[in-house]
Amino acid sequence: MDAIVVAALYQFKAVACASELQQSLKELCKAQQILGTLIVASEGINGTVSGSRQAIDVLHQFLLAQGFDHMEYKESFAPEHTFKRLKIKLKKEIVTLGVEVNPRETVGTYLQPKEWHEFIQQPDVIVIDTRNDYEYLTGTFEGAIDPQTKTFGEFPQYVAQHLKDAKDKKIAMFCTGGIRCEKSTSYLLQEGFKEVYHLKGGVLNYLAEIAPEESLWKGECFVFDRRVGVAHGVDLGHTRMCFGCGHPLFEQDISHPHYEDGVSCHACYEKTTPEQKARFRMRQSQKARQAAQDLRIAPQLARFVNMKSLKTIEM
């Protein structure tokens, strides 16, 4: 049974004192043993965290009490924490476009998953994947354009170079959870585009709502945690990750001669130095030793827990 709740959330909302909110979230998440990343800025909040059912409920209620009552909020489930640590970051933007826009006032037309499903099949619609190139490789919609961006901050440059003659076209954009499209659609409208649409709740919402046999999604959806990729139903996928560079890996990539678990893959082998690879090997060796130690103490821990349970029953 899945014991951990994974909550992905964001909302564009004016925050009077972002540093105070950051500190409050740090204290709450530490107390509730929540892991993951939350980004706080004067324009709102964004992030994905994992924790127990009770812990995530406490966080959710806290955010509602802070006025985040229109969050794009989605939950999925995992057998264990999907993050290693907690990060509560204070930034200028909750998702970095690098160009000033105001999605609280100007934003594209939202399409629910079923509306999106029908809309992108129209021949006069240009479908654009606003995610990064490695996310596109993991999975995308049939016929979607890959802008080949390595960061979201490169998107305005892509628009200037490739969409300058498409201002009268129907533009449909999507991303993982919806937040990048809030800004990308706002930016396009600001630049004079007439018809701009985006998938409400992002790919995660589509995978949760649309049956696999009807779906236009091919592959898995890359997520920035230990799951790496999720499939329809937001279930755990089969995609792995190179812990040397973070690139998604598929079955054929694991058999590539440049793949070494925790060290390198075909995408980064030529980009890292021998010294870096040596550090990665050391890190991987330490992880393996820790895993072996955990396996050795697990039976002892189980016996200890059982003995404590018996003593509690006897009392």
Side-chain angles (χ1 to χ4, degrees), residues 116-134:
W116 171 270
H117 183 82
E118 299 299 326
F119 186 76
I120 64 173
Q121 294 183 67
Q122 298 178 22
D124 59 340
V125 174
I126 299 173
V127 183
I128 301 175
D129 191 332
T130 66
R131 304 170 306 150
N132 301 331
D133 50 7
Y134 56 88

Side-chain angles (χ1 to χ4, degrees), residues 64-85:
L64 290 172
Q66 298 299 309
F68 291 99
D69 50 4
H70 287 82
M71 283 186 291
E72 187 65 49
Y73 181 89
K74 294 176 289 297
E75 290 185 352
S76 54
F77 304 92
E80 59 184 2
H81 270 292
T82 56
F83 298 94
K84 293 182 179 180
R85 58 185 65 87

Side-chain angles (χ1 to χ4, degrees), residues 9-15 21-22 25 37-47 59 62-63 68 71-72 88-89 93-95 179:
L9 59 94
Y10 76 85
Q11 183 179 338
F12 286 97
K13 175 188 177 301
V15 177
L21 177 60
Q22 177 199 28
L25 285 168
T37 300
L38 290 173
I39 299 172
V40 181
S42 59
E43 67 177 6
I45 190 169
N46 173 36
L59 173 62
F62 171 79
L63 290 172
F68 291 99
M71 283 186 291
E72 187 65 49
I88 311 294
K89 299 180 179 181
E93 298 180 75
I94 56 175
V95 60
I179 186 170

Side-chain angles (χ1 to χ4, degrees), residues 20-21 45 57 79 196 233:
E20 286 185 9
L21 177 60
I45 190 169
D57 286 346
V196 184

